[in-house]
């Protein structure tokens, strides 16, 4: 029973830190405060984490790992980009309270960059499957296109999903479709769909 309780301590700390982050920036949260609401002592905290920032980074890693797992279970050879975008947007929306906290300016982490890197890798995988990459297209040009699209997605989901309180499935589908259509316009200016051959 003790081992089971101990194994839940990291999860408890994560939940309580997220709760505190809803009202305080990370630099104003103290380990003593977190330990008090978690009903543990400081020594127990230090058995798992060296400081609050390591705990925050652990939360971010969990979110990124879940997004990667979700996307790795997608068959890019048969899935339309709107479906892939819909899966991503649905995840962001369902976890918006946590994502909102992690993306807030006061927390000064690399979470936004990490999400954008995941999106870039997903988009790159999709592009190589769905499009013919011209041999004369420099890699840096392809990376520029992907970065442009990814930052567009980022601005869209931050503005639309994270700030919105009430959304439904149809709104998520519509948002995914809009982003996918805009991405297609960008890509088709440089690349040719394999199905068009």
């Amino acid at each position: 029973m003790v081992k089971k309780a101990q194994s839940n301590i990291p999860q408890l700390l994560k939940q309580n830190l997220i709760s505190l982050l809803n009202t305080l920036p990370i630099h104003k949260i103290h380990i003593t405060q977190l330990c008090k609401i978690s009903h543990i002592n400081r020594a127990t905290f230090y058995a798992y984490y060296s400081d609050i920032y390591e705990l925050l980074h652990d939360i971010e890693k969990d979110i990124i790992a879940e997004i990667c797992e979700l996307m790795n279970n997608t068959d890019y050879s048969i899935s339309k980009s709107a479906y892939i975008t819909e899966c991503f947007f649905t995840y962001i929306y369902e976890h918006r309270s946590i994502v909102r906290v992690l993306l807030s300016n006061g927390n000064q982490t690399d979470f936004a960059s990490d999400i954008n890197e995941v999106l870039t890798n997903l988009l790159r995988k999709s592009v190589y499957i769905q499009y013919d990459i011209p041999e004369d297209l420099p890699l840096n040009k392809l990376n520029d296109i992907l970065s442009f699209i990814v930052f567009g997605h980022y601005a869209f989901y931050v503005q639309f999903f994270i700030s919105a309180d009430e959304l439904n499935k149809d709104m998520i589908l519509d948002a995914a479709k809009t982003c996918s259509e805009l991405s297609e316009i960008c890509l088709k200016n440089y690349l040719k769909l394999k199905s068009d051959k």
Side-chain angles (χ1 to χ4, degrees):
M1 184 73 173
V2 173
K3 283 189 176 178
K4 185 176 180 183
Q6 287 178 340
S7 69
N8 291 331
I9 288 174
Q11 191 58 38
L12 176 67
L13 289 169
K14 290 173 189 178
Q15 290 170 353
N16 288 333
L17 179 58
I18 290 166
S19 178
L20 287 170
L21 285 168
N22 280 307
T23 56
L24 294 168
I26 188 71
H27 66 274
K28 290 198 173 180
I29 297 173
H30 302 287
I31 291 172
T32 303
Q33 180 183 19
L34 179 59
C35 289
K36 183 177 180 180
I37 66 170
S38 301
H39 304 289
I40 63 169
N41 58 42
R42 289 171 61 91
T44 303
F45 175 90
Y46 287 118
Y48 294 93
Y49 300 103
S50 60
D51 57 28
I52 289 282
Y53 292 93
E54 185 182 3
L55 172 57
L56 180 63
H57 185 61
D58 211 26
I59 294 169
E60 294 172 348
K61 285 194 307 184
D62 289 348
I63 297 290
I64 296 297
E66 286 179 11
I67 293 172
C68 289
E69 183 179 357
L70 173 70
M71 295 308 181
N72 285 338
N73 291 328
T74 301
D75 186 343
Y76 290 85
S77 63
I78 60 173
S79 296
K80 299 292 185 186
S81 59
Y83 172 74
I84 296 166
T85 306
E86 178 196 338
C87 290
F88 176 77
F89 279 2
T90 299
Y91 180 90
I92 294 295
Y93 178 69
E94 289 174 351
H95 297 82
R96 66 192 177 283
S97 60
I98 299 172
V99 173
R100 183 185 290 133
V101 165
L102 296 176
L103 289 175
S104 68
N105 292 331
N107 292 324
Q108 304 169 346
T109 68
D110 295 325
F111 184 64
S113 298
D114 292 343
I115 282 191
N116 287 340
E117 184 179 345
V118 169
L119 267 177
T120 301
N121 291 334
L122 293 170
L123 183 59
R124 182 178 286 110
K125 185 188 292 187
S126 176
V127 163
Y128 273 98
I129 290 172
Q130 296 181 34
Y131 291 89
D132 277 328
I133 310 298
E135 291 181 13
D136 60 343
L137 182 70
L139 183 60
N140 66 324
K141 177 65 77 175
L142 179 59
N143 287 336
D144 288 346
I145 297 165
L146 296 178
S147 293
F148 181 80
I149 292 169
V150 164
F151 280 99
H153 277 68
Y154 173 76
F156 199 94
Y157 71 72
V158 166
Q159 180 69 29
F160 189 65
F161 290 98
I162 297 174
S163 60
D165 290 322
E166 292 297 329
L167 288 175
N168 58 43
K169 185 72 170 176
D170 288 338
M171 294 170 77
I172 292 172
L173 287 170
D174 189 55
K177 183 180 176 188
T178 299
C179 275
S180 295
E181 287 173 353
L182 293 173
S183 298
E184 292 291 320
I185 290 168
C186 293
L187 289 166
K188 283 181 178 178
N189 281 311
Y190 293 94
L191 311 174
K192 185 175 177 62
L193 271 170
K194 289 186 176 178
S195 59
D196 290 345
K197 290 181 77 176

